[in-house]
Amino acid sequence: MAIAADALPAPASRRTLRMTLAGVFGPLGQVFIFVVGSAIVLSVITVLVAFLLRGTRTNVDLVQATLTILPQVIVDGLVRGFLFATIALGYTMVYGVLEFINFAHGEIFMVGAFSGAALGTVFAASGILNALPPLLFVLIAVIVGMVISGTLAVTIERIAYRPLRNAPRLVPLISAIGVSLLLQDGMRLIANVTGLGFNARFPTPNFGPPLQLAQIPAADGRTIPLILDVRALIFIVAATLMLIGLNYLVNATKLGTAIRAVAQDRPTASLMGINVNQIIALTFLIGGALGGAAGVLFGIRVGTVNPYIGFLPGLKAFTAAVLGGIGNIPGAMVGGIVLGFLEAFVASYLSLLTGGAFSGASYADIVAFAILILILIFRPSGLLGEAVAQKV
Amino acid sequence: MGTTSLPNSPFAALNRGLLAYVALTAYIVVTSALMLMNTRTSLGTDVLFILFLLSFLLLYRAKVSNGYKLALGAIMLIGVVPYFGTMNAYYIELAIQAGIFVALALGLNVVVGFAGLLDLGYVAFFAVGAYLWGIFSTDQIGLISPGASPVSSQLFYLFMALGLFLGAFFGVLLGLPVLRLRGDYLAIVTLGLGEVIRVLAVNLDRPINITNGSQGIKSIARPPLPDFLRALFPGLNDPQLYQLFIYALALLVVGLTVLTVFRLKNSRIGRAWEAIREDETAAVAMGIPLVRMKLMAFAVGASFAGVMGVLFAAKQQFINPPTFDLIRSIGILAMVILGGMGSIPGVILGGVLVTLLDLQILPRIATELSALKRQGVVIPDWFDPAQYQRALFGLLLIIMMIFRPEGILPDQRRREEAHATEEQEALVEVETGEAKPA
């Protein structure tokens, strides 16, 4: 294709534009299909289950109760989904290039959240926090988080992973586990020294009241407002923008071509004049920056951060990456979205449908791991990945 | 990197012929005597205790006859440690903890070291054993099936055997779905399964109260104190006797574990595990039943944890879910890696070292620091070394992986492999004329 483009320069530019658009928005289209699809499928299943279990409860109408919270659950699923998707991209990019699970990626996310919290605290102390327009604050905080987390990821790669690149597979993984633990306690130490505290508050400007989208009629004539938290909206929009940016970088630039070349075949890419070490460092930088941005956005949404918040989202994001097909960038987004929806549905409906016998929030974690195991057994290549024979 | 022997060190002269016997015995007698004369819990006694423990390492490296080694080792383990323990409860508690973790590390070593399957959820099996005894020996059983009463504490030994089988059963259960997975996937999935067990332990207080949730199970029964112990040591009170008794049980389990893993390692099964670890495809081609051998590794490793879980529950008399969290699994992994994957003496050393670091040295530094602070030395509040367990394990793992992946006392074959790959790489570099990307 490259030769054809050289031979015919005039149509090539048009084709490149079309290819660029396809490269950037094609994966997003896929994500969109999965968003709509999993929302519909899960809603139908839940309503069906509620309908079947209707007889078990006399005090509430289960179908009605299910339907009233449904829009809220879908929004929650979307936020969770984008959270997992942005973190999963870091796992999947590094795996694509090095075939290595960067176990410390969840902690990179946590460090991003802490840098945002530190920035918010500094702004609040100097009194300019509430003078800033909220969106400007989000932008500054995200950029700070991206820079700090990205730099950290590159540093870790240089110190703890690069010396082990030719060692047996388990050696860098164990080193990564070590990095993860060290970062947790290191952050705890820093948080204690600087006075942020173990449970650090994340001060933000006032985002205003939540948006009212609609009024849903409830059983007894009252209406339940369907609200969307502004911070959730910011999360979704920002995550979408980042995914567009990443798709552009990977699918439509020379750098992206180099990344894909290194992922496909490292020695050959090196023979083609690509600086493999630089590209690997760049992959860590991009993955780390995305994780850091996700951390800041997550921190803004939940309001407090602690040094251990990275562990579970990290593990689940890894699950999402495997679900979508590890090493596959659109796969990580799709996997994240699907997992986010699944979790939101389990977390919200399990208690309701079982009459409080099982706590949904805790069993949502178990669902994530069950999915991980089932996917690895029955479709190890993931939803979007192609089957790859194991290299002996 | 080289070997760990000390042929060129100034101590080499001491480790030869008759002098070896004299020097070794002298060291052990002096440290034992010093330790027995300082029974107060303090920094000085800590140092003496560690010097005393060092004599086990010297014993292992010394060039003396095996019978002499065994005799000295037995005297120290059965005589000196318990005697010291009757004078200071803190140190025998430490010895019991070290024993429990050494057995766990040896069990994990079967899975990670022998068979090469990285298991990050190992503590789940420990939890299974602990909850087995915790549930059946307390009123908790009455909550699960109304009318059932706790079993007699006489049945403790039966439950240790049950813990063995239940551990093995769970090992197979958790092993089955992950068999086809490659190394790094396996690690993450076992980690997830370990978390699942912990989350279940927290949440299975509803709809039926099985585990009593995050409150944990209290007043777990201890095995009855044998009468002969009372008759044997009339001067000791019951808590002291109980500690000696638990110490003896732990020592027994560790001894049996060491014997079992030693025999396994040099058996057909052990060689099959090693073959699988080195090259799965080649191992299958040689007719090794892959599935059965991998499941057996999981089962054997898990069964040790099951037994130790039962003993641990009886020793602590209280268990709750945070006791079995991920950091515990990683701590055990750190023991295996520090000592040397696949090396039995190495793993014992690793287990003792990490337990000492975690439970003795870091807390001791913390107490010494707070003592200094009381004297007016300025030490910031946030600096509490005992709180930074994760950082300790993390650093241990990174440093070992970068500088000495084969461990402190490496397994013979692992050491040779480490060198073989280095030589091969060197060869490749020479052949292709391309230096390794730095």
Side-chain angles (χ1 to χ4, degrees):
Chain A
M1 202 169 282
I3 297 169
D6 283 342
L8 301 161
S13 64
R14 233 183 314 155
R15 182 191 277 172
T16 315
L17 180 68
R18 204 162 62 220
M19 274 166 55
T20 307
L21 288 177
V24 174
F25 291 103
L28 280 178
Q30 245 170 344
V31 173
F32 183 71
I33 291 169
F34 271 89
V35 166
V36 176
S38 39
I40 291 175
V41 169
L42 284 170
S43 309
V44 168
I45 292 175
T46 314
V47 173
L48 212 63
V49 172
F51 186 74
L52 292 176
L53 290 175
R54 201 177 26 157
T56 60
R57 305 274 291 283
T58 48
N59 51 346
V60 268
D61 182 358
L62 272 186
V63 178
Q64 180 100 44
T66 305
L67 284 176
T68 16
I69 59 169
L70 189 59
Q72 208 62 63
V73 175
I74 289 177
V75 170
D76 181 32
L78 209 55
V79 174
R80 282 179 195 237
F82 275 108
L83 172 69
F84 294 151
T86 34
I87 308 177
L89 284 168
Y91 279 106
T92 226
M93 288 185 70
V94 167
Y95 194 92
V97 172
L98 285 180
E99 291 206 8
F100 154 67
I101 298 172
N102 181 11
F103 198 86
H105 191 61
E107 274 58 48
I108 305 256
F109 161 83
M110 177 273 293
V111 169
F114 257 98
S115 357
L119 187 78
T121 313
V122 169
F123 278 2
S126 56
I128 54 170
L129 188 65
N130 279 316
L132 278 178
L135 282 180
L136 183 64
F137 172 76
V138 172
L139 190 69
I140 297 174
V142 165
I143 289 172
V144 167
M146 284 176 102
V147 169
I148 293 180
S149 290
T151 319
L152 182 67
V154 173
T155 317
I156 292 170
E157 192 271 335
R158 185 68 195 82
I159 295 171
Y161 304 154
R162 196 179 293 182
L164 306 173
R165 204 173 285 162
N166 296 315
R169 297 183 75 97
L170 290 185
V171 170
L173 179 67
I174 294 171
S175 176
I177 295 171
V179 171
S180 155
L181 294 176
L182 192 62
L183 283 180
Q184 287 177 3
D185 260 5
M187 195 67 237
R188 193 154 64 95
L189 185 70
I190 293 173
N192 283 337
V193 174
T194 54
L196 282 172
F198 180 82
N199 275 312
R201 245 170 47 75
F202 196 131
T204 53
N206 191 2
F207 285 100
L211 306 173
Q212 281 219 3
L213 300 181
Q215 298 281 339
I216 306 161
D220 44 5
R222 286 179 303 153
T223 55
I224 295 175
L226 167 58
I227 53 169
L228 177 59
D229 189 19
V230 182
R231 290 170 294 188
L233 187 66
I234 290 175
F235 195 116
I236 295 172
V237 172
T240 317
L241 287 177
M242 287 196 297
L243 298 192
I244 293 176
L246 181 71
N247 276 316
Y248 174 74
L249 180 75
V250 173
N251 290 331
T253 62
K254 218 166 174 176
L255 219 53
T257 317
I259 292 178
R260 282 179 290 146
V262 172
Q264 208 162 49
D265 190 335
R266 225 187 306 162
T268 312
S270 157
L271 291 175
M272 296 294 135
I274 295 171
N275 185 340
V276 172
N277 275 327
Q278 217 170 48
I279 293 295
I280 289 174
L282 183 76
T283 314
F284 273 88
L285 180 73
I286 297 170
L290 283 174
V296 172
L297 292 169
F298 176 78
I300 287 175
R301 186 164 145 66
V302 296
T304 55
V305 292
N306 75 52
Y308 301 152
I309 52 163
F311 176 68
L312 261 188
L315 214 53
K316 286 179 186 164
F318 174 75
T319 306
V322 173
L323 181 65
I326 195 153
N328 180 327
I329 290 175
M333 303 178 199
V334 165
I337 295 288
V338 173
L339 187 68
F341 271 120
L342 267 172
E343 262 207 26
F345 272 83
V346 172
S348 311
Y349 283 121
L350 191 65
S351 309
L352 179 70
L353 293 180
T354 58
F358 295 98
S359 118
S362 320
Y363 284 93
D365 296 349
I366 293 189
V367 167
F369 296 127
I371 290 171
L372 176 63
I373 293 164
L374 290 177
I375 281 283
L376 285 174
I377 294 170
F378 293 109
R379 197 176 156 76
S381 52
L383 292 173
L384 299 189
E386 56 241 65
V388 184
Q390 189 183 327
K391 286 177 197 163
V392 178
Chain B
M1 229 160 258
T3 58
T4 47
S5 60
L6 321 155
N8 299 321
S9 72
F11 298 106
L14 281 179
N15 199 4
R16 206 173 291 141
L18 198 60
L19 201 56
Y21 285 85
V22 176
L24 181 69
T25 319
Y27 179 85
I28 290 176
V29 168
V30 169
T31 51
S32 303
L34 278 175
M35 190 177 76
L36 291 176
M37 285 188 292
N38 290 281
T39 54
R40 212 166 48 82
T41 308
S42 69
L43 183 63
T45 318
D46 280 356
V47 174
L48 288 175
F49 187 62
I50 291 165
L51 286 176
F52 169 74
L53 288 178
L54 195 64
S55 56
F56 286 99
L57 185 62
L58 290 179
L59 195 65
Y60 169 69
R61 309 281 318 176
K63 289 201 181 76
V64 294
S65 75
N66 281 339
Y68 192 67
K69 282 185 184 182
L70 276 178
L72 271 185
I75 290 173
M76 287 196 292
L77 281 176
I78 302 172
V80 180
V81 175
Y83 182 57
F84 184 54
T86 59
M87 297 189 281
N88 187 323
Y90 170 72
Y91 290 100
I92 195 148
E93 171 69 22
L94 210 58
I96 296 171
Q97 291 275 6
I100 287 176
F101 282 114
V102 164
L104 288 177
L106 284 169
L108 183 62
N109 185 39
V110 171
V111 189
V112 177
F114 293 175
L117 308 163
L118 185 56
D119 183 352
L120 295 180
Y122 185 67
V123 85
F125 310 119
F126 187 51
V128 165
Y131 270 97
L132 173 75
W133 180 242
I135 289 170
F136 276 92
S137 75
T138 60
D139 295 329
Q140 195 66 31
I141 185 74
L143 297 173
I144 299 170
S145 72
S149 55
V151 298
S152 142
S153 60
Q154 300 278 2
L155 289 177
F156 176 74
Y157 304 101
L158 175 70
F159 270 83
M160 275 180 100
L162 278 180
L164 184 93
F165 288 112
L166 198 70
F169 172 73
F170 267 81
V172 172
L173 204 69
L174 296 195
L176 269 177
V178 298
L179 270 182
R180 298 197 333 191
L181 304 181
R182 217 181 32 201
D184 36 7
Y185 277 129
L186 180 86
I188 305 274
V189 171
T190 48
L191 187 157
L193 287 173
E195 281 294 291
V196 166
I197 295 268
R198 194 184 58 82
V199 172
L200 283 180
V202 177
N203 286 293
L204 277 184
D205 51 348
R206 285 180 303 163
I208 308 169
N209 189 345
I210 298 176
T211 61
N212 206 22
S214 51
Q215 311 206 328
I217 301 177
K218 283 187 269 300
S219 53
I220 297 168
R222 290 192 293 195
L225 204 57
D227 289 332
F228 72 86
L229 259 178
R230 275 208 189 86
L232 214 58
F233 306 103
L236 298 178
N237 54 19
D238 267 14
Q240 281 177 319
L241 283 175
Y242 252 117
Q243 266 194 325
L244 285 190
F245 179 47
I246 300 276
Y247 171 76
L249 280 177
L251 196 62
L252 190 73
V253 176
V254 172
L256 286 176
T257 311
V258 172
L259 199 65
T260 317
V261 290
F262 189 72
R263 300 284 295 161
L264 270 174
K265 188 183 160 112
N266 298 313
S267 72
R268 228 184 135 77
I269 300 170
R271 287 195 300 274
W273 283 336
E274 250 167 50
I276 291 173
R277 183 186 78 202
E278 291 316 314
D279 191 334
E280 252 184 54
T281 320
V284 173
M286 291 296 148
I288 289 171
L290 193 68
V291 172
R292 207 188 322 153
M293 283 303 155
K294 277 190 174 180
L295 281 184
M296 198 180 282
F298 270 110
V300 170
S303 59
F304 294 136
V307 178
M308 264 308 174
V310 174
L311 184 62
F312 179 78
K315 179 189 100 65
Q316 296 293 82
Q317 297 181 284
F318 168 68
I319 49 172
N320 64 350
T323 318
F324 309 104
D325 63 0
L326 175 73
I327 193 73
R328 205 52 79 108
S329 288
I330 305 249
I332 302 170
L333 181 70
M335 296 170 189
V336 174
I337 284 168
L338 182 69
M341 283 184 274
S343 147
I344 295 170
V347 169
I348 297 175
L349 174 71
V352 174
L353 265 182
V354 173
T355 315
L356 283 183
L357 268 175
D358 187 15
L359 296 176
Q360 187 188 11
I361 297 175
L362 286 187
R364 175 64 62 208
I365 295 173
T367 20
E368 292 299 321
L369 280 179
S370 61
L372 277 179
K373 203 157 134 189
R374 273 196 300 279
Q375 289 169 10
V377 182
V378 182
I379 293 157
D381 276 336
W382 47 263
F383 193 75
D384 180 2
Q387 298 267 311
Y388 290 91
Q389 201 189 21
R390 286 166 193 254
L392 168 75
F393 292 160
L395 267 180
L396 266 182
L397 291 180
I398 303 172
I399 291 171
M400 290 309 289
M401 283 302 110
I402 293 180
F403 296 108
R404 204 173 163 82
E406 73 268 34
I408 299 180
L409 285 181
D411 178 44
Q412 187 67 34
R413 191 162 299 169
R414 287 258 183 183
R415 185 160 60 205
E416 280 163 14
E417 278 157 23
H419 281 272
T421 43
E422 272 164 29
E423 278 161 21
Q424 260 172 18
E425 265 166 31
L427 213 62
V428 170
E429 271 169 38
V430 170
E431 278 172 359
T432 57
E434 183 208 7
K436 192 163 50 171

